[in-house]
Amino acid sequence: MTELAVFGDPYQGTRPPTRRRGGLADDVVLYVREQILTGALKPGTKIDQEALAAALDVSRSPIREALVILGQEGLLDLIPRRGAVVADLTPEDIVDHYELFGVVGGRAAAIAADTLGEDEIEQLRAIHERFVDGTSDDLSALNWAFHRIINRTAPRRTRWLLRLLERSVPADYYEFTDGWDAQAVQHHAAILEAIVDRDPDEARRRMEHHLHESGVAAVAHLERQGFWED
Amino acid sequence: MTELAVFGDPYQGTRPPTRRRGGLADDVVLYVREQILTGALKPGTKIDQEALAAALDVSRSPIREALVILGQEGLLDLIPRRGAVVADLTPEDIVDHYELFGVVGGRAAAIAADTLGEDEIEQLRAIHERFVDGTSDDLSALNWAFHRIINRTAPRRTRWLLRLLERSVPADYYEFTDGWDAQAVQHHAAILEAIVDRDPDEARRRMEHHLHESGVAAVAHLERQGFWED
DNA sequence: CAAACGACCTTTGTATACAAAATTAAAAAT
DNA sequence: ATTTTTAATTTTGTATACAAAGGTCGTTTG
């Protein structure tokens, strides 16, 4: 894909940015995170640096940097001098995480209700329309775009935390849960309404509710997938 | 200090644990974070890995791991292939950060109001008494102990986030602000009351308010210290 | 037979070495 | 004189080498 192709992309700004390629450590993070969040790496499993390095065909340097990042995200427990272990990730953790997502995202929604420009509200409405419509092939991208418009008005530190919370949890999975889209449409509609009404408190409550339910859906989905089997 | 001394320590559990010594990277993190949060390292300053390594007399390996951690904390901007730069830290960032602390700590307080055992409430009251009294030499430790009892009942992920938020912000400074202790006593009393009343919603509101005011105090203190001069 | 000790092996943490990108400085061209 | 190009230098990212702590397993000792 060339740089120029972006200008013709109808999804402009409705999609997570294709991460500007950093170093090998980023790749390792992506790989290991995926392994953990899909359940391929079970809690308690020790990460052998040398083995991982060999498997991904890189040296231990980027491996170690990746482990530090995943440790900061809470996905690994880093015990000095005895290595990294996959952290527990119980249903309670998932629910808790989405609840946190809720209070932080709720804050963003409240701010959005206060500060979003009319033009941005119009964008939000347009995206929501397409989401309701459901004919779009990429509902996940539309969902992301909806939240993005709300979140990007939040102050810097709040945006930072939202990005952090977004990364370190199973996502993009529950979105295909049966009936989830219908529920999400309802939630989004309610949030949009509160924002249009310039009602920050209601926007916050509804965003909290939305993310709480998303957490429940995520747990249900993971359970169905056998994430906690064996 | 020997291990055994702990058993005779009257401050048992009222003090942040003296970090179990990890690797050199931890030391570097502590050092650089201190430099940033005291204003010695101004936003925009580039971190020269080699120079830092030389200054701290370690190799670049632990330096790089430290920079990754500080990047995750949002104190550094890590730009691939061109190094680490001290991130902006405006008054708005500080306020925002404490506001986030508020919503997360508020959640913890709400949970505490619901789930704290009578014995723990008694501990909380005892600590608060000593805090009110003010004769203790270490008000900061008592303040920390108060919050700790509340926070440790929170679920795992919430505790993780609280620790993260606690680290990456100027703290322990505003505590010596003129009049802050008096205000904190008021706030703590109100929070304690809500917990005793088993009123989660009020506990949350009051904790949010407490941390909001703490943020304002922190900014005022930093401004007075000339943190944003030059 | 169980617990404790110790030699051996493995794995982590740190330092150093090397390759490639980015920055700087100098030279050439407009 | 200013801008562009190109060569030299610095600095990052990655790989490898080395030292020390941790773990293992067999032996010894009570």
Side-chain angles (χ1 to χ4, degrees), chain B residues 43-111:
Chain B
T45 307
K46 171 135 187 284
I47 306 285
D48 186 320
Q49 298 179 5
E50 202 106 40
L52 186 56
L56 300 185
D57 194 43
V58 296
S59 78
R60 278 177 54 222
S61 308
I63 296 286
R64 286 185 60 84
E65 291 183 9
L67 297 186
V68 166
I69 290 173
L70 293 164
Q72 284 290 112
E73 289 180 1
L75 293 178
L76 295 178
D77 291 326
L78 266 52
I79 308 145
R81 282 279 168 205
R82 66 186 58 175
V85 174
V86 178
D88 281 339
L89 196 61
T90 64
E92 294 77 46
D93 290 323
I94 303 283
V95 167
D96 187 24
H97 186 95
Y98 272 89
E99 215 75 38
L100 292 167
F101 219 149
V103 295
V104 179
R107 167 170 161 73
I111 292 170

Side-chain angles (χ1 to χ4, degrees), chain A residues 117-129 146 149 152:
Chain A
E118 290 300 325
D119 49 336
E120 291 167 306
I121 292 182
E122 202 41 59
Q123 285 178 42
L124 202 57
R125 203 195 311 268
I127 287 166
H128 181 59
E129 286 306 322
F146 183 86
I149 292 188
R152 77 167 166 201

Side-chain angles (χ1 to χ4, degrees), chain A:
Chain A
M1 186 202 283
T2 71
E3 282 293 326
L4 284 174
V6 160
F7 294 110
D9 186 348
Y11 276 98
Q12 175 91 49
T14 66
R15 210 177 275 195
T18 35
R19 220 183 197 345
R20 188 226 162 148
R21 209 181 136 43
L24 294 182
D26 288 359
D27 295 343
V28 178
V29 167
L30 252 42
Y31 175 78
V32 176
R33 186 159 46 206
E34 161 105 0
Q35 295 292 308
I36 295 174
L37 295 183
T38 57
L41 273 172
K42 297 290 181 195
T45 307
K46 170 135 187 280
I47 306 285
D48 185 321
Q49 298 180 5
E50 202 107 40
L52 185 56
L56 300 185
D57 195 43
V58 296
S59 78
R60 277 176 54 220
S61 310
I63 296 286
R64 286 184 60 84
E65 291 183 9
L67 297 186
V68 166
I69 290 174
L70 293 164
Q72 284 290 110
E73 290 180 359
L75 293 177
L76 295 178
D77 291 326
L78 268 51
I79 308 146
R81 283 280 170 203
R82 65 186 61 173
V85 173
V86 178
D88 282 338
L89 196 61
T90 64
E92 295 76 47
D93 290 323
I94 304 282
V95 167
D96 187 25
H97 187 96
Y98 272 88
E99 215 76 36
L100 292 167
F101 218 149
V103 297
V104 180
R107 167 170 160 73
I111 292 170
D114 273 333
T115 69
L116 227 47
E118 290 300 325
D119 49 336
E120 291 167 306
I121 292 182
E122 202 41 59
Q123 285 178 42
L124 202 57
R125 203 195 311 268
I127 287 166
H128 181 59
E129 286 306 322
R130 289 208 277 159
F131 195 53
V132 171
D133 187 33
T135 58
S136 169
D137 46 335
D138 205 344
L139 287 179
S140 178
L142 287 173
N143 177 51
W144 185 84
F146 183 86
H147 285 279
R148 180 174 190 247
I149 292 188
I150 293 171
N151 291 344
R152 77 167 166 201
T153 49
R156 183 161 38 178
R157 204 83 189 142
T158 297
R159 295 199 310 270
W160 160 78
L161 186 50
L162 284 169
R163 275 196 304 273
L164 179 65
L165 291 173
E166 191 179 7
R167 281 198 296 261
S168 48
V169 87
D172 276 8
Y173 302 124
Y174 63 87
E175 299 186 357
F176 305 110
T177 297
D178 188 45
W180 182 83
D181 5 0
Q183 203 186 26
V185 164
Q186 293 298 112
H187 292 167
H188 283 199
I191 292 164
L192 176 57
E193 186 189 70
I195 290 175
V196 169
D197 290 353
R198 300 296 190 185
D199 185 341
D201 231 54
E202 196 59 33
R204 181 171 55 69
R205 262 193 298 276
R206 289 174 181 179
M207 182 62 85
E208 284 182 7
H209 178 248
H210 175 46
L211 286 166
H212 171 80
E213 290 298 318
S214 297
V216 171
V219 168
H221 185 256
L222 288 169
E223 242 153 20
R224 222 175 307 119
Q225 297 280 333
F227 187 86
W228 288 290
E229 305 285 304
D230 300 357

